[in-house]
Amino acid sequence: MPRELLSLALTVDRHDDGEYFWVLLESFDHSNEFESLMEAAAGFSTYVAALQAGYAALVALSDDPEIGPLDDASDE
């Protein structure tokens, strides 16, 4: 069975101190409910800087960015 793409989303939150943090979310059952998978350890001064860093983190989850991040199921 081929591996499926992970159901991921990227968002940016602005904290009370004005810094922006990227957050990667995952829907573990491919529904409309997402849970936090990982987030920035440090804040960014602009939305776009946080978004770009989050995008880089998202791409890094893929062995092949042309295919995207896949689940851990085997290719049997």
Side-chain angles (χ1 to χ4, degrees):
M1 180 172 172
R3 294 167 59 190
E4 290 187 29
L5 282 173
L6 296 175
S7 183
L8 301 174
L10 168 62
T11 190
V12 173
D13 290 333
R14 185 174 184 193
H15 290 198
D16 290 338
D17 63 4
E19 290 192 304
Y20 297 88
F21 290 78
W22 58 263
V23 181
L24 292 181
L25 306 167
E26 182 172 7
S27 173
F28 294 98
D29 59 1
H30 295 275
S31 71
N32 289 330
E33 293 186 32
F34 286 80
E35 298 177 33
S36 180
L37 178 65
M38 63 177 58
E39 58 188 72
F44 296 85
S45 60
T46 66
Y47 175 88
V48 73
L51 185 63
Q52 290 172 334
Y55 175 74
L58 180 59
V59 170
L61 294 176
S62 302
D63 291 333
D64 182 348
E66 296 292 322
I67 296 172
L70 300 171
D71 67 15
D72 289 334
S74 65
D75 288 314
E76 297 177 15

mmCIF file of all heavy atoms in Angstrom, residues 1-38:
data_model
loop_
_atom_site.group_PDB
_atom_site.id
_atom_site.type_symbol
_atom_site.label_atom_id
_atom_site.label_comp_id
_atom_site.label_asym_id
_atom_site.label_seq_id
_atom_site.Cartn_x
_atom_site.Cartn_y
_atom_site.Cartn_z
ATOM 1 N N MET A 1 0.850 -1.180 0.000
ATOM 2 C CA MET A 1 0.000 0.000 0.000
ATOM 3 C C MET A 1 0.896 1.244 0.000
ATOM 4 O O MET A 1 1.804 1.361 0.827
ATOM 5 C CB MET A 1 -0.879 -0.036 1.258
ATOM 6 C CG MET A 1 -1.805 1.115 1.406
ATOM 7 S SD MET A 1 -2.917 0.779 2.787
ATOM 8 C CE MET A 1 -3.704 2.332 2.884
ATOM 9 N N PRO A 2 0.654 2.175 -0.916
ATOM 10 C CA PRO A 2 1.506 3.370 -0.958
ATOM 11 C C PRO A 2 1.305 4.247 0.268
ATOM 12 O O PRO A 2 0.233 4.278 0.868
ATOM 13 C CB PRO A 2 1.052 4.091 -2.230
ATOM 14 C CG PRO A 2 -0.253 3.515 -2.601
ATOM 15 C CD PRO A 2 -0.357 2.175 -1.949
ATOM 16 N N ARG A 3 2.353 4.937 0.617
ATOM 17 C CA ARG A 3 2.291 5.853 1.759
ATOM 18 C C ARG A 3 1.442 7.059 1.393
ATOM 19 O O ARG A 3 1.454 7.520 0.264
ATOM 20 C CB ARG A 3 3.702 6.277 2.150
ATOM 21 C CG ARG A 3 4.521 5.114 2.683
ATOM 22 C CD ARG A 3 5.983 5.432 2.791
ATOM 23 N NE ARG A 3 6.222 6.559 3.667
ATOM 24 C CZ ARG A 3 7.390 7.165 3.792
ATOM 25 N NH1 ARG A 3 8.424 6.758 3.089
ATOM 26 N NH2 ARG A 3 7.540 8.183 4.602
ATOM 27 N N GLU A 4 0.701 7.568 2.367
ATOM 28 C CA GLU A 4 -0.154 8.734 2.152
ATOM 29 C C GLU A 4 0.556 10.006 2.587
ATOM 30 O O GLU A 4 1.411 9.987 3.468
ATOM 31 C CB GLU A 4 -1.435 8.591 2.974
ATOM 32 C CG GLU A 4 -2.369 7.526 2.488
ATOM 33 C CD GLU A 4 -3.688 7.564 3.233
ATOM 34 O OE1 GLU A 4 -4.094 8.647 3.696
ATOM 35 O OE2 GLU A 4 -4.303 6.508 3.353
ATOM 36 N N LEU A 5 0.152 11.110 1.973
ATOM 37 C CA LEU A 5 0.637 12.415 2.414
ATOM 38 C C LEU A 5 0.088 12.713 3.804
ATOM 39 O O LEU A 5 -1.060 12.378 4.122
ATOM 40 C CB LEU A 5 0.153 13.513 1.463
ATOM 41 C CG LEU A 5 0.878 13.657 0.147
ATOM 42 C CD1 LEU A 5 0.147 14.668 -0.725
ATOM 43 C CD2 LEU A 5 2.311 14.086 0.357
ATOM 44 N N LEU A 6 0.903 13.333 4.622
ATOM 45 C CA LEU A 6 0.432 13.803 5.910
ATOM 46 C C LEU A 6 -0.502 14.983 5.680
ATOM 47 O O LEU A 6 -0.318 15.772 4.752
ATOM 48 C CB LEU A 6 1.605 14.237 6.785
ATOM 49 C CG LEU A 6 2.592 13.148 7.179
ATOM 50 C CD1 LEU A 6 3.765 13.752 7.942
ATOM 51 C CD2 LEU A 6 1.913 12.075 7.999
ATOM 52 N N SER A 7 -1.506 15.115 6.511
ATOM 53 C CA SER A 7 -2.443 16.233 6.429
ATOM 54 C C SER A 7 -1.926 17.329 7.358
ATOM 55 O O SER A 7 -2.149 17.295 8.573
ATOM 56 C CB SER A 7 -3.840 15.766 6.840
ATOM 57 O OG SER A 7 -4.764 16.820 6.708
ATOM 58 N N LEU A 8 -1.198 18.294 6.781
ATOM 59 C CA LEU A 8 -0.527 19.327 7.563
ATOM 60 C C LEU A 8 -1.027 20.715 7.182
ATOM 61 O O LEU A 8 -1.509 20.935 6.073
ATOM 62 C CB LEU A 8 0.986 19.266 7.325
ATOM 63 C CG LEU A 8 1.668 17.950 7.672
ATOM 64 C CD1 LEU A 8 3.127 17.992 7.248
ATOM 65 C CD2 LEU A 8 1.545 17.654 9.153
ATOM 66 N N ALA A 9 -0.876 21.640 8.111
ATOM 67 C CA ALA A 9 -1.198 23.044 7.871
ATOM 68 C C ALA A 9 -0.147 23.897 8.565
ATOM 69 O O ALA A 9 0.420 23.501 9.583
ATOM 70 C CB ALA A 9 -2.584 23.370 8.417
ATOM 71 N N LEU A 10 0.094 25.062 8.009
ATOM 72 C CA LEU A 10 1.025 26.031 8.578
ATOM 73 C C LEU A 10 0.252 27.289 8.924
ATOM 74 O O LEU A 10 -0.523 27.787 8.112
ATOM 75 C CB LEU A 10 2.132 26.348 7.566
ATOM 76 C CG LEU A 10 3.050 27.539 7.856
ATOM 77 C CD1 LEU A 10 3.837 27.344 9.143
ATOM 78 C CD2 LEU A 10 3.987 27.775 6.675
ATOM 79 N N THR A 11 0.457 27.781 10.130
ATOM 80 C CA THR A 11 -0.172 29.034 10.536
ATOM 81 C C THR A 11 0.853 29.881 11.274
ATOM 82 O O THR A 11 1.897 29.387 11.680
ATOM 83 C CB THR A 11 -1.427 28.783 11.406
ATOM 84 O OG1 THR A 11 -2.130 30.000 11.576
ATOM 85 C CG2 THR A 11 -1.058 28.185 12.753
ATOM 86 N N VAL A 12 0.534 31.152 11.437
ATOM 87 C CA VAL A 12 1.387 32.071 12.190
ATOM 88 C C VAL A 12 0.526 32.719 13.262
ATOM 89 O O VAL A 12 -0.568 33.205 12.974
ATOM 90 C CB VAL A 12 2.011 33.143 11.274
ATOM 91 C CG1 VAL A 12 2.764 34.184 12.095
ATOM 92 C CG2 VAL A 12 2.941 32.500 10.249
ATOM 93 N N ASP A 13 1.013 32.697 14.497
ATOM 94 C CA ASP A 13 0.335 33.334 15.631
ATOM 95 C C ASP A 13 1.122 34.544 16.073
ATOM 96 O O ASP A 13 2.362 34.523 16.070
ATOM 97 C CB ASP A 13 0.235 32.366 16.826
ATOM 98 C CG ASP A 13 -0.728 31.224 16.580
ATOM 99 O OD1 ASP A 13 -1.666 31.394 15.779
ATOM 100 O OD2 ASP A 13 -0.530 30.162 17.195
ATOM 101 N N ARG A 14 0.414 35.575 16.484
ATOM 102 C CA ARG A 14 1.073 36.751 17.062
ATOM 103 C C ARG A 14 0.801 36.741 18.563
ATOM 104 O O ARG A 14 -0.344 36.735 18.997
ATOM 105 C CB ARG A 14 0.529 38.031 16.450
ATOM 106 C CG ARG A 14 1.271 39.247 16.922
ATOM 107 C CD ARG A 14 0.804 40.478 16.189
ATOM 108 N NE ARG A 14 1.606 41.619 16.610
ATOM 109 C CZ ARG A 14 1.292 42.853 16.342
ATOM 110 N NH1 ARG A 14 0.201 43.137 15.650
ATOM 111 N NH2 ARG A 14 2.060 43.830 16.762
ATOM 112 N N HIS A 15 1.862 36.733 19.332
ATOM 113 C CA HIS A 15 1.735 36.710 20.793
ATOM 114 C C HIS A 15 1.545 38.119 21.334
ATOM 115 O O HIS A 15 1.749 39.112 20.619
ATOM 116 C CB HIS A 15 2.972 36.062 21.409
ATOM 117 C CG HIS A 15 3.065 34.585 21.141
ATOM 118 N ND1 HIS A 15 3.859 33.750 21.864
ATOM 119 C CD2 HIS A 15 2.461 33.781 20.215
ATOM 120 C CE1 HIS A 15 3.744 32.515 21.422
ATOM 121 N NE2 HIS A 15 2.912 32.515 20.423
ATOM 122 N N ASP A 16 1.177 38.217 22.590
ATOM 123 C CA ASP A 16 0.908 39.509 23.222
ATOM 124 C C ASP A 16 2.104 40.451 23.178
ATOM 125 O O ASP A 16 1.940 41.669 23.161
ATOM 126 C CB ASP A 16 0.464 39.316 24.675
ATOM 127 C CG ASP A 16 -0.921 38.692 24.776
ATOM 128 O OD1 ASP A 16 -1.697 38.798 23.801
ATOM 129 O OD2 ASP A 16 -1.215 38.108 25.826
ATOM 130 N N ASP A 17 3.303 39.888 23.157
ATOM 131 C CA ASP A 17 4.505 40.738 23.123
ATOM 132 C C ASP A 17 4.815 41.264 21.721
ATOM 133 O O ASP A 17 5.787 41.982 21.515
ATOM 134 C CB ASP A 17 5.718 39.990 23.689
ATOM 135 C CG ASP A 17 6.099 38.754 22.888
ATOM 136 O OD1 ASP A 17 5.476 38.489 21.835
ATOM 137 O OD2 ASP A 17 7.027 38.042 23.315
ATOM 138 N N GLY A 18 3.986 40.889 20.726
ATOM 139 C CA GLY A 18 4.151 41.378 19.367
ATOM 140 C C GLY A 18 4.982 40.498 18.461
ATOM 141 O O GLY A 18 5.098 40.770 17.272
ATOM 142 N N GLU A 19 5.581 39.439 19.011
ATOM 143 C CA GLU A 19 6.387 38.542 18.192
ATOM 144 C C GLU A 19 5.487 37.519 17.497
ATOM 145 O O GLU A 19 4.421 37.164 17.991
ATOM 146 C CB GLU A 19 7.441 37.827 19.035
ATOM 147 C CG GLU A 19 8.545 38.742 19.518
ATOM 148 C CD GLU A 19 9.693 37.960 20.093
ATOM 149 O OE1 GLU A 19 9.470 37.160 21.016
ATOM 150 O OE2 GLU A 19 10.815 38.153 19.600
ATOM 151 N N TYR A 20 5.958 37.054 16.338
ATOM 152 C CA TYR A 20 5.224 36.089 15.530
ATOM 153 C C TYR A 20 5.883 34.721 15.632
ATOM 154 O O TYR A 20 7.109 34.609 15.623
ATOM 155 C CB TYR A 20 5.228 36.531 14.062
ATOM 156 C CG TYR A 20 4.528 37.842 13.828
ATOM 157 C CD1 TYR A 20 5.211 39.051 13.939
ATOM 158 C CD2 TYR A 20 3.179 37.866 13.481
ATOM 159 C CE1 TYR A 20 4.564 40.257 13.705
ATOM 160 C CE2 TYR A 20 2.530 39.074 13.259
ATOM 161 C CZ TYR A 20 3.229 40.256 13.374
ATOM 162 O OH TYR A 20 2.596 41.444 13.153
ATOM 163 N N PHE A 21 5.063 33.681 15.717
ATOM 164 C CA PHE A 21 5.539 32.301 15.843
ATOM 165 C C PHE A 21 4.825 31.435 14.810
ATOM 166 O O PHE A 21 3.593 31.481 14.714
ATOM 167 C CB PHE A 21 5.235 31.740 17.242
ATOM 168 C CG PHE A 21 6.040 32.359 18.334
ATOM 169 C CD1 PHE A 21 5.718 33.609 18.831
ATOM 170 C CD2 PHE A 21 7.125 31.687 18.872
ATOM 171 C CE1 PHE A 21 6.471 34.186 19.851
ATOM 172 C CE2 PHE A 21 7.876 32.252 19.888
ATOM 173 C CZ PHE A 21 7.548 33.503 20.377
ATOM 174 N N TRP A 22 5.592 30.663 14.047
ATOM 175 C CA TRP A 22 4.961 29.704 13.133
ATOM 176 C C TRP A 22 4.544 28.474 13.921
ATOM 177 O O TRP A 22 5.158 28.133 14.935
ATOM 178 C CB TRP A 22 5.871 29.327 11.970
ATOM 179 C CG TRP A 22 7.196 28.723 12.335
ATOM 180 C CD1 TRP A 22 8.388 29.375 12.432
ATOM 181 C CD2 TRP A 22 7.479 27.351 12.660
ATOM 182 N NE1 TRP A 22 9.386 28.515 12.791
ATOM 183 C CE2 TRP A 22 8.853 27.256 12.931
ATOM 184 C CE3 TRP A 22 6.709 26.205 12.751
ATOM 185 C CZ2 TRP A 22 9.457 26.056 13.277
ATOM 186 C CZ3 TRP A 22 7.308 25.006 13.099
ATOM 187 C CH2 TRP A 22 8.663 24.939 13.349
ATOM 188 N N VAL A 23 3.494 27.807 13.470
ATOM 189 C CA VAL A 23 3.007 26.579 14.081
ATOM 190 C C VAL A 23 2.618 25.621 12.959
ATOM 191 O O VAL A 23 1.881 25.997 12.042
ATOM 192 C CB VAL A 23 1.769 26.836 14.980
ATOM 193 C CG1 VAL A 23 1.294 25.541 15.628
ATOM 194 C CG2 VAL A 23 2.054 27.895 16.032
ATOM 195 N N LEU A 24 3.144 24.396 13.015
ATOM 196 C CA LEU A 24 2.718 23.345 12.095
ATOM 197 C C LEU A 24 1.657 22.517 12.794
ATOM 198 O O LEU A 24 1.827 22.107 13.953
ATOM 199 C CB LEU A 24 3.890 22.451 11.693
ATOM 200 C CG LEU A 24 4.966 23.100 10.832
ATOM 201 C CD1 LEU A 24 6.055 22.081 10.490
ATOM 202 C CD2 LEU A 24 4.380 23.693 9.571
ATOM 203 N N LEU A 25 0.567 22.286 12.091
ATOM 204 C CA LEU A 25 -0.568 21.537 12.624
ATOM 205 C C LEU A 25 -0.748 20.269 11.808
ATOM 206 O O LEU A 25 -0.432 20.247 10.613
ATOM 207 C CB LEU A 25 -1.846 22.384 12.531
ATOM 208 C CG LEU A 25 -1.781 23.759 13.168
ATOM 209 C CD1 LEU A 25 -2.977 24.596 12.733
ATOM 210 C CD2 LEU A 25 -1.722 23.643 14.677
ATOM 211 N N GLU A 26 -1.258 19.217 12.444
ATOM 212 C CA GLU A 26 -1.535 17.973 11.731
ATOM 213 C C GLU A 26 -2.915 17.463 12.078
ATOM 214 O O GLU A 26 -3.341 17.505 13.230
ATOM 215 C CB GLU A 26 -0.497 16.903 12.066
ATOM 216 C CG GLU A 26 -0.733 15.614 11.302
ATOM 217 C CD GLU A 26 0.376 14.589 11.457
ATOM 218 O OE1 GLU A 26 1.295 14.800 12.257
ATOM 219 O OE2 GLU A 26 0.315 13.572 10.754
ATOM 220 N N SER A 27 -3.611 16.969 11.062
ATOM 221 C CA SER A 27 -4.865 16.251 11.263
ATOM 222 C C SER A 27 -4.509 14.771 11.201
ATOM 223 O O SER A 27 -4.191 14.246 10.128
ATOM 224 C CB SER A 27 -5.880 16.603 10.174
ATOM 225 O OG SER A 27 -7.012 15.764 10.304
ATOM 226 N N PHE A 28 -4.536 14.125 12.344
ATOM 227 C CA PHE A 28 -4.071 12.745 12.408
ATOM 228 C C PHE A 28 -5.044 11.767 11.769
ATOM 229 O O PHE A 28 -4.677 10.660 11.401
ATOM 230 C CB PHE A 28 -3.771 12.353 13.859
ATOM 231 C CG PHE A 28 -2.606 13.125 14.419
ATOM 232 C CD1 PHE A 28 -2.810 14.247 15.208
ATOM 233 C CD2 PHE A 28 -1.308 12.748 14.124
ATOM 234 C CE1 PHE A 28 -1.735 14.962 15.711
ATOM 235 C CE2 PHE A 28 -0.225 13.467 14.610
ATOM 236 C CZ PHE A 28 -0.450 14.574 15.403
ATOM 237 N N ASP A 29 -6.307 12.169 11.596
ATOM 238 C CA ASP A 29 -7.289 11.292 10.963
ATOM 239 C C ASP A 29 -7.833 11.895 9.660
ATOM 240 O O ASP A 29 -8.861 11.484 9.163
ATOM 241 C CB ASP A 29 -8.431 10.966 11.922
ATOM 242 C CG ASP A 29 -9.166 12.208 12.408
ATOM 243 O OD1 ASP A 29 -8.812 13.332 11.992
ATOM 244 O OD2 ASP A 29 -10.113 12.056 13.197
ATOM 245 N N HIS A 30 -7.125 12.882 9.121
ATOM 246 C CA HIS A 30 -7.496 13.563 7.868
ATOM 247 C C HIS A 30 -8.878 14.224 7.955
ATOM 248 O O HIS A 30 -9.577 14.343 6.959
ATOM 249 C CB HIS A 30 -7.413 12.612 6.673
ATOM 250 C CG HIS A 30 -6.025 12.156 6.392
ATOM 251 N ND1 HIS A 30 -5.146 12.884 5.628
ATOM 252 C CD2 HIS A 30 -5.330 11.062 6.806
ATOM 253 C CE1 HIS A 30 -3.992 12.252 5.561
ATOM 254 N NE2 HIS A 30 -4.076 11.148 6.275
ATOM 255 N N SER A 31 -9.262 14.655 9.145
ATOM 256 C CA SER A 31 -10.512 15.384 9.327
ATOM 257 C C SER A 31 -10.200 16.884 9.343
ATOM 258 O O SER A 31 -9.086 17.305 9.036
ATOM 259 C CB SER A 31 -11.181 14.969 10.644
ATOM 260 O OG SER A 31 -10.442 15.472 11.745
ATOM 261 N N ASN A 32 -11.171 17.681 9.729
ATOM 262 C CA ASN A 32 -10.971 19.132 9.828
ATOM 263 C C ASN A 32 -10.440 19.554 11.195
ATOM 264 O O ASN A 32 -10.353 20.743 11.470
ATOM 265 C CB ASN A 32 -12.266 19.870 9.525
ATOM 266 C CG ASN A 32 -12.632 19.791 8.059
ATOM 267 O OD1 ASN A 32 -11.759 19.710 7.209
ATOM 268 N ND2 ASN A 32 -13.914 19.804 7.766
ATOM 269 N N GLU A 33 -10.103 18.589 12.046
ATOM 270 C CA GLU A 33 -9.562 18.897 13.365
ATOM 271 C C GLU A 33 -8.048 18.720 13.335
ATOM 272 O O GLU A 33 -7.545 17.652 13.006
ATOM 273 C CB GLU A 33 -10.185 17.995 14.420
ATOM 274 C CG GLU A 33 -11.659 18.273 14.607
ATOM 275 C CD GLU A 33 -12.250 17.481 15.754
ATOM 276 O OE1 GLU A 33 -11.530 17.211 16.733
ATOM 277 O OE2 GLU A 33 -13.429 17.135 15.649
ATOM 278 N N PHE A 34 -7.348 19.805 13.672
ATOM 279 C CA PHE A 34 -5.887 19.802 13.652
ATOM 280 C C PHE A 34 -5.336 19.984 15.053
ATOM 281 O O PHE A 34 -5.945 20.667 15.870
ATOM 282 C CB PHE A 34 -5.371 20.932 12.746
ATOM 283 C CG PHE A 34 -5.546 20.652 11.284
ATOM 284 C CD1 PHE A 34 -6.761 20.852 10.667
ATOM 285 C CD2 PHE A 34 -4.479 20.177 10.533
ATOM 286 C CE1 PHE A 34 -6.925 20.592 9.310
ATOM 287 C CE2 PHE A 34 -4.629 19.918 9.178
ATOM 288 C CZ PHE A 34 -5.858 20.122 8.566
ATOM 289 N N GLU A 35 -4.179 19.364 15.287
ATOM 290 C CA GLU A 35 -3.467 19.497 16.558
ATOM 291 C C GLU A 35 -2.066 20.016 16.273
ATOM 292 O O GLU A 35 -1.501 19.759 15.210
ATOM 293 C CB GLU A 35 -3.368 18.141 17.259
ATOM 294 C CG GLU A 35 -4.702 17.534 17.619
ATOM 295 C CD GLU A 35 -4.545 16.157 18.243
ATOM 296 O OE1 GLU A 35 -3.532 15.928 18.952
ATOM 297 O OE2 GLU A 35 -5.419 15.315 18.008
ATOM 298 N N SER A 36 -1.502 20.708 17.249
ATOM 299 C CA SER A 36 -0.156 21.246 17.088
ATOM 300 C C SER A 36 0.850 20.107 16.962
ATOM 301 O O SER A 36 0.873 19.189 17.775
ATOM 302 C CB SER A 36 0.193 22.130 18.286
ATOM 303 O OG SER A 36 1.486 22.647 18.152
ATOM 304 N N LEU A 37 1.666 20.173 15.920
ATOM 305 C CA LEU A 37 2.718 19.184 15.692
ATOM 306 C C LEU A 37 4.060 19.727 16.158
ATOM 307 O O LEU A 37 4.805 19.049 16.854
ATOM 308 C CB LEU A 37 2.773 18.833 14.201
ATOM 309 C CG LEU A 37 3.840 17.862 13.742
ATOM 310 C CD1 LEU A 37 3.598 16.484 14.343
ATOM 311 C CD2 LEU A 37 3.848 17.780 12.224
ATOM 312 N N MET A 38 4.376 20.965 15.772
ATOM 313 C CA MET A 38 5.604 21.626 16.209
ATOM 314 C C MET A 38 5.433 23.118 16.022
ATOM 315 O O MET A 38 4.592 23.563 15.253
ATOM 316 C CB MET A 38 6.836 21.100 15.463
ATOM 317 C CG MET A 38 6.824 21.344 13.992
ATOM 318 S SD MET A 38 8.316 20.796 13.100
ATOM 319 C CE MET A 38 8.376 19.081 13.470
#
